[in-house]
């Protein structure tokens, strides 16, 4: 019996790898939902977050903004679709203060249908979308951090687009 595979893997189905043992997360907003999501993501891959002793790296979350704008309207001039956009700006440095990644913005967007007659479900749908977007951004940040650690040369600052 032989088993072969093409190696196909759904996006997001794979785990993250990070060559860091400990990370401190410093957020400008002490009640940042994105900081909480990032902490959960890092802990799930075995990274010690906000250790009592000096961490290897420091991730600074400088800002997190969520915006919503109408993108489509129905025949009776009411909004039928909204775009939700989540943007987070971060930087990463060593515990000694050496900058690995200067201020970098991460952005994700989603569009959802809006029914003006069902406000409660629309609000719930937007809340679920924003939670999923935070998960996406946390994954993006961890992947960028991991790539930076793999390619970082001593004394070099990397700006990730």
């Amino acid at each position: 019996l032989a088993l072969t595979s093409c190696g196909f893997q759904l996006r997001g189905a794979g785990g993250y790898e990070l060559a860091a043992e400990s990370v401190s997360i410093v957020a400008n907003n002490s009640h940042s939902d994105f900081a909480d999501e990032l902490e959960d993501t890092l802990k799930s891959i075995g990274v010690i977050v906000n250790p009592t002793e000096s961490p290897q790296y420091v991730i600074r979350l400088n800002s997190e903004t969520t915006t919503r704008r109408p993108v489509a309207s129905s025949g009776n001039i009411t909004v039928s679709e909204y775009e939700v956009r989540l943007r987070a700006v971060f930087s990463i440095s060593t515990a000694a203060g050496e900058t690995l990644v200067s201020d970098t913005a991460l952005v994700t967007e989603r569009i959802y249908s809006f029914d003006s007659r069902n406000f409660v479900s629309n609000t719930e749908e937007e809340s679920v979308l924003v939670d999923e977007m935070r998960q996406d951004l946390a994954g993006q940040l961890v992947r960028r951090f991991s790539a930076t650690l793999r390619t970082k040369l001593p004394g070099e600052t990397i700006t990730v687009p």
Side-chain angles (χ1 to χ4, degrees):
L1 177 67
L3 180 64
T4 61
S5 173
C6 68
F8 176 79
Q9 182 176 344
L10 290 173
R11 182 177 176 190
Y16 305 111
E17 293 181 19
L18 186 61
E21 293 179 12
S22 62
V23 172
S24 182
I25 299 173
V26 178
N28 283 351
N29 176 0
S30 61
H31 302 291
S32 170
D33 291 328
F34 178 59
D36 293 342
E37 185 61 44
L38 179 60
E39 181 176 347
D40 291 345
T41 301
L42 289 169
K43 284 181 177 178
S44 75
I45 59 172
V47 176
I48 299 169
V49 179
N50 298 325
T52 54
E53 296 184 18
S54 181
Q56 282 180 290
Y57 303 99
V58 177
I59 299 174
R60 296 190 188 288
L61 301 178
N62 302 320
S63 68
E64 172 190 354
T65 55
T66 305
T67 57
R68 180 178 81 156
R69 69 181 184 98
V71 292
S73 58
S74 63
N76 59 356
I77 317 294
T78 59
V79 175
S80 62
E81 289 184 344
Y82 276 103
E83 174 189 71
V84 179
R85 185 173 205 221
L86 180 59
R87 181 177 189 268
V89 177
F90 74 98
S91 63
I92 302 172
S93 61
T94 64
E98 177 189 359
T99 301
L100 298 177
V101 178
S102 58
D103 283 354
T104 301
L106 297 173
V107 179
T108 185
E109 301 168 342
R110 299 284 192 283
I111 295 176
Y112 71 96
S113 296
F114 182 82
D115 180 2
S116 59
R117 297 167 295 174
N118 200 353
F119 183 76
V120 173
S121 69
N122 290 326
T123 304
E124 182 64 27
E125 181 178 4
E126 184 175 325
S127 175
V128 169
L129 280 175
V130 170
D131 288 344
E132 291 173 356
M133 292 165 68
R134 283 191 189 102
Q135 291 172 0
D136 287 350
L137 286 187
Q140 285 182 37
L141 193 152
V142 169
R143 286 189 298 275
R144 288 188 182 193
F145 187 13
S146 179
T148 299
L149 292 179
R150 286 193 309 267
T151 60
K152 173 79 175 86
L153 300 174
E156 178 183 357
T157 299
I158 297 176
T159 301
V160 182

